[in-house]
Every structure is written in C-alpha cells, then in structure tokens.
Amino acid sequence: MEIDRYERWFMTATFLMICGAIAALVISVVGHQASLATPAGRVVPSEIDSTPPFDDPGLHQTGPGEYELVLVAQTWSWTPNEVHVPAGSTVTILATSRDVIHGIRIRDTNANVMVIPGQISEVKDVSFDEPGTYWLFCHEYCGIGHQGMSARIIVDE
Ligand code: CUA
C-alpha cells in the first residue's frame, strides 16, 4: 500500500505524541503519586441543613492550632463567607454544594478542589501562617454570578 510521504510524517508525529502522553501519565502516577480526587463522603443536597457537619457550617477547633472549616456552596455565595483563623493554624476544609458544581481556590495556599453536589470535598492541612486576608474564589464557572462568588479567610495575629 502506498502511503503519501506527508501522511507518513503525520502518522509518525501522531504516534510519538500518543507515546509522549502515555509516558507523561505513567510518570505522574508512578513517579509523583498523582491521583484523581476521591470524595470524602456523600450528602444528599436537599438534606444538607440537617446532615453533620453541614448542619453547622463555619470554623470549628479540633485540636491545638487545628481547625475544621465546614463550607456550603450555593449560587453564588459561600456559607459562611467570612471566618477568622489564628495565624499558624492548620485547617481541614470540608465542603459541599446545594445546587451546581462550584470550586474552591484559596490564594497563597495549596487549596484547589471542585465542590460537587452530592459529594463531600475535603482539603487536608491547609496552612495559614502569615496574618492577612486569604481570598477564597469559586473556580468552576457556575452561572452569571460566578465571578462574585468569593469568601474571606482572615488570619489574625
Ligand atoms: Cu460558584 Cu463559580
């Protein structure tokens, strides 16, 4: 069978790109322990207000310098939308959504997770060492008010 020279180049380039993609996947999974986020639990969206811990959203101390931040997302706000955390704290975030997919991204931290209705999203051991205001943004497009869907974590001295 006669294959055109350019077509052969494209086939070779395509094959090499597929090999590169597979190699990148293997390296990230084996070498860097990359994994898909698994939900920390499930919650029925219509029963959020009566299901622990979401029946009591906010910041709760769990140990010396350790806190749990329970967040509920809904278009287009967070409950609570402002919390105060002492500097040097380590915070585990538990979040869920009442309606559509939202997301959590907290500037200057490693917190970056989708918030999906029916699921509990967990971010462990977020460090708040420096005093200041840490903005929490929704990073999944969730409708016309998406760009204003933010909350503040105020780290006190
Ligand atoms: Cu919520 Cu975008």
Side-chain angles (χ1 to χ4, degrees):
M1 187 176 69
E2 181 64 29
I3 299 176
D4 181 79
R5 186 161 47 122
Y6 292 116
E7 191 166 8
R8 195 160 47 232
W9 289 354
F10 275 111
M11 287 166 69
T12 305
T14 304
F15 178 75
L16 290 175
M17 280 192 277
I18 290 170
C19 289
I22 291 171
L25 191 66
V26 169
I27 289 167
S28 59
V29 170
V30 176
H32 300 282
Q33 283 80 46
S35 65
L36 288 175
T38 49
R42 301 205 173 262
V43 57
V44 179
S46 60
E47 295 170 9
I48 284 174
D49 291 331
S50 58
T51 307
F54 300 104
D55 56 346
D56 185 21
L59 190 76
H60 312 294
Q61 189 157 15
T62 54
E66 292 181 9
Y67 295 84
E68 182 180 81
L69 175 57
V70 178
L71 282 171
V72 177
Q74 59 271 305
T75 51
W76 292 283
S77 62
W78 298 96
T79 305
N81 66 5
E82 184 178 310
V83 291
H84 286 262
V85 182
S89 300
T90 302
V91 177
T92 292
I93 298 168
L94 291 169
T96 193
S97 168
R98 278 187 208 288
D99 37 45
V100 298
I101 293 177
H102 300 278
I104 290 174
R105 171 83 182 101
I106 306 175
R107 282 187 60 183
D108 303 319
T109 72
N110 63 347
N112 184 342
V113 69
M114 290 173 80
V115 180
I116 300 168
Q119 295 188 3
I120 301 172
S121 301
E122 182 178 47
V123 186
K124 287 186 175 143
D125 300 335
V126 185
S127 299
F128 293 98
D129 295 327
E130 297 296 320
T133 299
Y134 291 68
W135 283 94
L136 182 157
F137 295 107
C138 176
H139 70 11
E140 293 288 339
Y141 183 72
C142 55
I144 197 158
H146 161 73
Q147 78 283 351
M149 187 173 166
S150 61
R152 287 190 299 177
I153 297 166
I154 297 165
V155 178
D156 299 319
E157 305 212 17

